[in-house]
Amino acid sequence: MTTNNQTSIASLAKKRRTYNELPVALGNLVGGLALTGLALYTTHVRTAPKREF
């Protein structure tokens, strides 16, 4: 049987985990997009032949 204190600790841990996931997910998105964009830019855009329209 869980006591009231154990329930509140579990609830607090769940809230902390939930609030930690948002910045981690956003950081992964921003970092992944930036690194992917940087890699594509350095390997393709700068080395691609100039186009004339």
Side-chain angles (χ1 to χ4, degrees):
M1 179 178 215
T2 62
T3 63
N4 207 8
N5 189 27
Q6 288 175 335
T7 305
S8 64
I9 291 172
S11 176
L12 180 61
K14 186 176 180 180
K15 285 182 183 179
R16 285 185 180 176
R17 184 173 48 246
T18 302
Y19 287 124
N20 189 34
E21 288 178 12
L22 183 62
V24 169
L26 289 175
N28 286 339
L29 283 172
V30 170
L33 290 172
L35 290 176
T36 302
L38 182 63
L40 288 173
Y41 177 77
T42 57
T43 59
H44 179 70
V45 174
R46 292 190 340 187
T47 59
K50 299 288 183 190
R51 295 184 182 181
E52 293 185 25
F53 292 101

